[in-house]
């Protein structure tokens, strides 16, 4: 009897141990599965880490290339800025030189115009009295650069010649000398004659014959000169040449 109970107790314990072993085996299987999953996850994580490391290294390399390119760009921009500054300075120097050249040119042109005017006066001044003699007049007085008028309003006349004809009548010849004759010179000459009559002590009621003398005289000015009663004179084969001597006739005077 006791033996049977002992056997049953042994069988009971064996059954319990078998269940415990089965449970342990299941737990071991679960642990093995978990370990396998962890291993696979670890491998995947390692692969991801390696991929991330490669990508990060490529990113660092790209950033380094980008920084190098930016540095090269900054260097190029600095060179460009320096070149632009040099160009700006050169343009300023060029503008200053052009300004100086313009001022110098204007000064030279003014000097040239003055010289031409003086040259014309030097050419025509001495010759006008001899030209007047060709019209049968005797030279009584001659004035060069004659100035008259009230203070602050004085006016200068290039050549004034006072003559007498064969009848003893006095005539005043007033010559304005130009480098080139123009149409508006006639109105200016008329204003000059009016000024002379009103202010010059020489004007004593004599006949006045205006003369417009120029190195260059356009052909179309002759009719204007005839209408204005102005003797046109230019350089000719015999020194000075009157272009419309007909206005000196007794009828015109």
């Amino acid at each position: 009897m006791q033996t049977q109970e002992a056997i049953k107790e042994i069988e009971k314990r064996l059954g319990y141990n078998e269940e415990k072993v089965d449970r342990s085996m299941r737990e071991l299987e679960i642990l093995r599965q978990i370990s396998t999953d962890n291993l696979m996850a670890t491998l995947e994580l390692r692969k991801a880490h390696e991929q991330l490391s490669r990508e990060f290294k490529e990113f660092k390399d790209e950033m380094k290339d980008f920084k190098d390119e930016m540095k090269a760009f900054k260097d190029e921009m600095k060179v460009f800025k320096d070149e632009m500054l040099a160009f700006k300075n050169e343009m300023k120097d060029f503008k200053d030189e052009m300004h100086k050249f313009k001022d110098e040119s204007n000064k030279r042109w003014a000097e040239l115009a003055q010289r031409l005017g003086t040259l014309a006066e030097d050419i025509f001044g001495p010759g006008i009295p001899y030209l007047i003699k060709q019209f049968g007049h005797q030279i009584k007085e001659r004035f060069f650069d004659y100035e008259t008028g009230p203070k602050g309003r004085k006016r200068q006349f290039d050549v004034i010649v006072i003559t007498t004809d064969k009848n003893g009548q006095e005539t005043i010849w007033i010559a304005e000398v130009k480098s080139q004759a123009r149409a508006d010179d006639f109105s200016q000459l008329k204003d000059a004659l009016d000024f002379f009559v009103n202010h010059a002590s020489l004007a004593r009621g004599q006949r006045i014959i205006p003369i417009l003398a120029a190195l260059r005289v356009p052909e179309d000015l002759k009719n204007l000169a005839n209408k204005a009663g102005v003797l046109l004179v230019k350089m000719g084969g015999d020194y000075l040449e009157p272009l419309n001597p007909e206005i000196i006739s007794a009828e015109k005077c």
Side-chain angles (χ1 to χ4, degrees), residues 59-86:
F59 176 74
K60 284 179 66 178
D61 292 340
E62 290 176 357
M63 285 301 297
K64 181 177 182 302
D65 293 340
F66 177 73
K67 286 175 66 176
D68 292 341
E69 290 175 358
M70 285 300 297
K71 182 177 183 303
F73 177 74
K74 287 176 66 176
D75 292 340
E76 291 175 358
M77 284 301 297
K78 182 178 183 304
V79 172
F80 176 74
K81 287 175 66 176
D82 293 341
E83 290 176 350
M84 285 301 296
L85 179 62

Side-chain angles (χ1 to χ4, degrees), residues 126-137:
I128 286 176
Y130 295 98
L131 177 67
I132 293 172
K133 285 184 177 182
Q134 297 178 16
F135 299 109
H137 288 251

Side-chain angles (χ1 to χ4, degrees), residues 53-222:
S53 296
R54 286 194 298 270
E55 291 178 355
F56 183 71
K57 183 178 183 302
E58 291 175 357
F59 176 74
K60 284 179 66 178
D61 292 340
E62 290 176 357
M63 285 301 297
K64 181 177 182 302
D65 293 340
F66 177 73
K67 286 175 66 176
D68 292 341
E69 290 175 358
M70 285 300 297
K71 182 177 183 303
F73 177 74
K74 287 176 66 176
D75 292 340
E76 291 175 358
M77 284 301 297
K78 182 178 183 304
V79 172
F80 176 74
K81 287 175 66 176
D82 293 341
E83 290 176 350
M84 285 301 296
L85 179 62
F87 176 75
K88 185 177 179 181
N89 292 334
E90 288 175 0
M91 285 301 296
K92 182 179 182 301
D93 293 340
F94 176 75
K95 287 175 67 175
D96 292 341
E97 289 177 3
M98 286 301 296
H99 184 69
K100 289 172 62 177
F101 175 75
K102 183 179 178 181
D103 291 343
E104 186 66 22
S105 295
N106 290 338
K107 181 180 178 181
R108 293 289 179 87
W109 276 112
E111 291 175 354
L112 180 59
Q114 185 177 5
R115 288 177 183 176
L116 285 175
T118 304
L119 176 63
E121 291 176 10
D122 292 342
I123 291 173
F124 285 99
I128 286 176
Y130 295 98
L131 177 67
I132 293 172
K133 285 184 177 182
Q134 297 178 16
F135 299 109
H137 288 251
Q138 297 297 317
I139 307 299
K140 184 177 180 181
E141 291 182 272
R142 68 187 74 186
F143 304 92
F144 299 103
D145 297 328
Y146 180 82
E147 193 175 74
T148 188
K151 186 177 181 180
R153 291 183 56 212
K154 290 186 178 297
R155 190 162 188 169
Q156 191 177 77
F157 296 85
D158 296 330
V159 183
I160 293 179
V161 181
I162 301 177
T163 65
T164 56
D165 60 14
K166 59 184 179 181
N167 298 319
Q169 183 178 1
E170 283 192 352
T171 301
I172 298 179
W173 308 69
I174 299 179
E176 287 289 299
V177 179
K178 305 286 183 180
S179 298
Q180 177 171 339
R182 294 180 174 83
D184 56 0
D185 289 333
F186 296 111
S187 60
Q188 295 177 13
L189 185 54
K190 182 179 182 303
D191 292 340
L193 294 176
D194 292 339
F195 187 91
F196 181 83
V197 170
N198 292 327
H199 298 97
S201 59
L202 295 178
R204 298 185 293 270
Q206 301 97 320
R207 287 186 304 172
I208 296 178
I209 298 179
I211 299 173
L212 179 60
L215 295 173
R216 296 181 59 190
V217 180
E219 187 64 29
D220 58 354
L221 292 187
K222 185 174 178 180

Side-chain angles (χ1 to χ4, degrees), residues 24-35:
S24 297
M25 290 297 292
R26 287 195 298 272
E27 289 176 354
L28 285 173
E29 181 65 24
I30 292 172
L31 288 174
R32 186 184 67 79
Q33 186 64 41
I34 290 173
S35 297

